Amino acid sequence: MKNIVVIGGGIAGMEASAFLAAKGYSVDLIEKNDTLGGRLANWDRLFPTMRRGSEVTEFLAEGVMQEAVKVHLSADIVRVERHHDTFLLVTTQGNELHCDAILLATGYDLFDARRKEEYGYGIYDNVITSADLEQIFSSGRDILTQKGKKPSRVGFVHCVGSRDEKAGHTYCSKVCCVTGVKQAIEVKQQIPDAEIFNFYMDLRMYGMHFEALYKKAQEDFNVQFVRGRLSEAAENLDGSLALKVEDTLAGRPMKINVDLLVLLVGCTPSEGTRKMASLLGLKLGFNGFFKTTDQHTMTNYSDIPGVFFAGTCIGPNTITNAITDARAAATAIDIYLSGNQLANRKMKPHEEFWLYPSH
Amino acid sequence: MLKEGKKYIWKDYQKEIADNHYYYARSCIRQNFFPGSEATFLRILKNELNKDIFDDPEHTTCTGIGYHSDIIPLETTMTVVARHFALMTAAGYKNLVPSCITSFGIYSEILETWHEFPETLEKTREHLFKATGREFNLPENVVHTSDIIFKFRDEIAARGRFRLIDQSTGQPLRIVEHIGCHYARMFPHKGIGGAEYPYVLAGMVESWGGEVIDYPERRHCCGFGFRQYLVQANRGYSLSCSRKKFESMEPYKPDMIITNCPGCPYFLDRWQYVIAEQEGKTYGENGQGIPVFTYEEVAGLVLGYDPWDLGLQVHQINVEPLLDKMGIPYNPDEKYAGPDGQDLGQPAELTCMHNL
């Protein structure tokens, strides 16, 4: 029986492990945290359905359990050796795992909102991130200001750390727009009297039903969408926040006070991605995610035979697409390990960096 | 407000500040607006800190005001700046220390331009040589004078006789700090603490015992803004900018304002008088304005220099309430006496802002 090591026990890692095990491979799933689920474990409800994130986690865990995937929790890879077409991986616990293929599912990290200094995260008491708000939702606590007041006005800032050259991230994080719409609705559901303002550059409602959610937010929940990027937030004496923003549709500058400001933080390449790239000698793309063999046809493939990618380690993605990608990666590995000629197809190399002004 | 968050940001904005041997570049306007400040800086460096600093009488304007007002072409500004560097080179110095924030911005901007576009440096060398026969080296270290005071703030505190503490309550004085636009907005990494939460003045205030106030319009322009004031028709805009800041800081009851730019103390000081005259509105205690200081003046007060030697009598807003809070002695009879005792003349009675 051939062995596969999957690194990262989030959405993609779990689903790919289950599919590979179902295909008859012996699968070791390495997760650095003490539970599976990755960042999904921190998410309360999901767009656009409003289903609990835990339902998806349970679905994925059922697959992992059913197919007897060998799960290594609180484990990390400290050493990798390549021997012809096999690999030896050593974990922090000292386990030596011999395998025929590696699947990297190292996911993403959240953008550190402190780097958008002008918004005051970590400085102003009532500036939180979308991840912080999810934690409040998950805990069942009321949404309150730092002084315990129910906010009467809440602002959401889109594209925090995404599509932002100053922040060093020119790419779109794909999930924040619709997360902002979802969270605005949830705040409104909890505090019906609250006024909600979403400040955006573009609203990219590309996924199935996203547009419907956006429409519902406006029509049924009276969420105000203002097209303009915040220039700054400042703290008032009472702890509320004074926002300066241009309403670019009206062509006028705006100054508005909110009691709570939510920063919709984007996705960045994970620390795990950088670490595994270093251990394996893999290339990173311009944006710091893994560089795939081909942008169109081989997004699950690395430049090292036997090393594959799945999920958000190659770029931001939705849960739906991460699951699809995991299954695709499982198929790609199966094709590779079975010696099928499909695995040997080549594309003419393309240059990723021509898109960017300098590198 | 979480100060730890600011500290996290401050650590990313540190810069090298030369320890000694400075070539001093004076400001065009500070010697008129706040005539004691530059003299105080030199006094502190020479007498308190025993530093070598050269105050070159051949130094001229950097053209910054003209440049930012769109009446001086960039090539001219570059050539004038090149002449400054030639003077510095000829004097045997490598560390340039401008007194003016706009000059600091000009030097920084031109050095960056020459770095990015080396052909402009060569062209400037050619222009300067043709015009004056001079050649120059680039400075190894360019910092603003406030950076120097920041660097030695703890030494100043150690030598100081007074602290930024209200003697009647024992509480830290509540202080608004305002850095000029050209200090860090163009190049955040050239300013201590960056552009959003600058630390250069806040660090001095902390070392000298005070407490910095962060108020909503802290980042807003002081009101100078060059064309806002220099074009006479725009002066209402200049005034409204300053007023916006005063209205925003007033609820925090600041004891004083500390600044590091030539224009900022001038406009924050003078426009308070204009607003008092026009609207009868004052922003300080007891019908007074909020005293406004340069950082050299504050350093001088901490060190126990005579307030009238610091030039505080030329401020529009009376500084005596602040001196009283700090417990600094002063002779009211000498306020308007010149160095040799001559009468400098007193300001006329203000209608809305109480004279002392």
Side-chain angles (χ1 to χ4, degrees), chain B residues 55-86:
Chain B
D55 181 18
D56 190 348
E58 289 195 67
H59 182 268
T60 64
T61 175
C62 71
T63 77
I65 290 177
Y67 170 62
H68 288 293
S69 304
D70 290 344
I71 57 173
I72 302 279
L74 179 60
E75 291 75 10
T76 304
T77 299
M78 284 185 179
T79 309
V80 171
V81 163
R83 179 179 172 275
H84 294 176
F85 293 167

Side-chain angles (χ1 to χ4, degrees), chain B residues 74-207:
Chain B
L74 179 60
E75 291 75 10
T76 304
T77 299
M78 284 185 179
T79 309
V80 171
V81 163
R83 179 179 172 275
H84 294 176
F85 293 167
L87 291 172
M88 179 196 73
T89 304
Y93 287 84
K94 297 173 181 174
N95 304 319
L96 185 71
V97 184
S99 162
C100 172
I101 287 291
T102 294
S103 295
F104 174 64
I106 287 278
Y107 293 135
S108 300
E109 185 180 350
I110 287 176
L111 286 169
E112 285 295 313
T113 304
W114 288 347
H115 176 72
E116 293 291 331
F117 306 98
E119 68 278 11
T120 60
L121 171 59
E122 293 313 308
K123 199 73 184 169
T124 306
R125 288 190 188 282
E126 188 183 324
H127 287 158
L128 183 70
F129 192 79
K130 279 183 182 170
T132 67
R134 293 179 189 272
E135 294 179 301
F136 63 97
N137 297 329
L138 299 182
E140 289 182 1
N141 188 244
V142 179
V143 297
H144 183 245
T145 42
S146 61
D147 296 326
I148 305 279
I149 296 293
F150 173 87
K151 181 181 176 77
F152 298 113
R153 65 195 187 284
D154 291 334
E155 285 88 332
I156 290 169
R159 299 176 67 88
R161 288 177 53 204
F162 301 98
R163 295 192 43 89
L164 300 175
I165 288 173
D166 188 330
Q167 295 299 308
S168 64
T169 64
Q171 295 298 309
L173 292 176
R174 295 170 60 74
I175 298 172
V176 161
E177 54 86 29
H178 183 87
I179 63 159
C181 296
H182 296 153
Y183 176 68
R185 284 203 190 277
M186 290 190 291
F187 303 105
H189 284 278
K190 293 187 187 297
I192 293 167
E196 297 295 336
Y197 307 95
Y199 188 55
V200 61
L201 296 173
M204 294 180 206
V205 169
E206 276 180 7
S207 286

